[in-house]
Every structure is written in structure tokens, then in C-alpha cells.
Amino acid sequence: MRLARIGLTGGIGSGKSTVAAAWAEAGAVVVDTDAIARALTASGGAALPRLAEVFGPTILDAHGALDRERMRALAFSDPLARTRLEQVLHPMIGQEAQAQAARAGERTVVFDVPLLAESAHWRARVQRIVVVDCEEPTQVARVMARNGWSRDAVARVIAQQATRARRRAIADAVIYNEGLTLEALRAQVRALWAHWQQPGGAGVPDPAPPAGCETI
């Protein structure tokens, strides 16, 4: 059985996007659900009419795109608003993700899904799940350096996401991205790719994991 569908997830600042790029370098087609969400909520995006209907026209910025900072603040402060946002976006994201995967043909597809641990629906769509993991202080430092956010802002995002333990509990393999060079991280992805491309790799329990990568 060919390994055709892999789910990739990790908390903010874990290095998931870097790992996704490494999967693409290895030969997979990466379907980035965050990128799909950004396209849906950019100026002219397909989700905007419904979002404006649900949240009012003030949720749009001066260019007619979703005001992401305003929406983020609202979703973090109001669980009902977050649920309503997800009810609009998630079906549209899922539909576009499946369309992109269908266009991949016979190639292996990696679905990059930040909320994979929270979604039984996504877990049912993939054959294997890879979790990119690191310590929380490392997440905070990376996001502060990358986005210019305050420590409290990063902590609020982490608190809204699945815990590290919850993500690890659904994983078939964990890439522990702590203290790794970029090349070492890429090497782990290449090793896991080779490991799962072995004959029967998607249909039988894993043998010993590749060096440097935990197989759960």
C-alpha cells in the first residue's frame, strides 16, 4: 500500500512550515491550509461575503480583506466568535485542500494543518501523522523574533492551541525540533520520507524509526 496522504501539524513557532518545505523538497505535494485560509480571506476572497454577513462589514479592512488582527483579537476573546469563524472557513478550506490533493495525482500529499490535533475529520483523511514539536520557551522566542509579537501575545496563541501532549498523542512520528540546524531538520524529514516509502510502509506497523526521529 502506497503512503499517499500524510498529515503534518505542530504548534506556533515549532518549525512546521520549515518541515513542510522539506517535505516538498523530498518530492511531496504540500497542501498548506493556512495559505488556503489566507487566500479565502484576502481581498476578493470567496469567504469574505459570508464573514461580513456573520461579523458585520467592520471585520474587513480598508482594502476589503479580512482584518486579521481584529478577527484574531475577537476570536481569542470570544469563544462563540471563534466557533462562528471556524464554521465559515473550515468547510471551504477542506474543500479547497481536497481539490489541491486531487490535482496531485499519484504523488504523495502532505496536508499542513495547524489544527489537525483538534479535528477528527482531518485525522480520518490521512494515513500517517507527523508532529513537529519543541519546548514552549522556544516557541515563544521564535515567534517574538519572527513576528515582533509580545511574549503575552504569543502565550495567548499557544493557550488556544492543542497542548504538546495532545499533539504527540495522535502522532505516528514526532520531529523534535529543538537545537537542530536547518540541515539536521531536513535530514530528519528525508529519513522519515524514505522510511515511509518502503514497500508496505503505509500498511504495516513501523519498524525501527529513522535516526533522530521518534516513531510513536
Side-chain angles (χ1 to χ4, degrees), residues 62-196:
H63 303 287
L66 180 68
D67 187 330
R68 296 177 67 86
E69 291 300 321
R70 185 181 179 91
M71 189 71 251
R72 183 182 294 111
L74 180 61
F76 285 159
S77 64
D78 183 350
L80 178 58
R82 181 176 180 176
T83 297
R84 293 164 73 193
L85 174 67
E86 292 173 348
Q87 287 173 342
V88 173
L89 286 183
H90 285 189
M92 300 177 77
I93 292 170
Q95 183 177 21
E96 176 59 22
Q98 290 303 310
Q100 290 185 20
R103 292 195 291 271
E106 296 299 312
R107 297 173 64 188
T108 295
V109 175
V110 173
F111 292 100
D112 181 346
V113 186
L115 300 181
L116 195 150
E118 294 89 333
S119 171
H121 178 72
W122 269 109
R123 296 199 298 274
R125 289 181 171 184
V126 299
Q127 296 162 290
R128 294 288 168 89
I129 295 172
V130 182
V131 169
V132 186
D133 186 40
C134 67
E135 303 297 326
E136 186 170 316
T138 301
Q139 292 179 260
V140 173
R142 287 172 178 165
V143 178
M144 289 177 65
R146 181 186 70 197
N147 295 5
W149 292 3
S150 69
R151 185 176 302 275
D152 286 346
V154 182
R156 286 195 297 270
V157 173
I158 291 174
Q160 291 283 336
Q161 295 184 331
T163 64
R164 291 176 61 205
R166 183 176 177 185
R167 282 192 293 268
R168 292 176 71 98
I170 66 163
D172 295 294
V174 175
I175 295 177
Y176 185 58
N177 184 23
E178 189 74 40
L180 295 179
T181 65
L182 180 57
E183 183 49 41
L185 187 62
R186 288 170 171 161
Q188 287 202 22
V189 172
R190 290 193 298 267
L192 189 58
W193 169 269
H195 181 61
W196 280 349

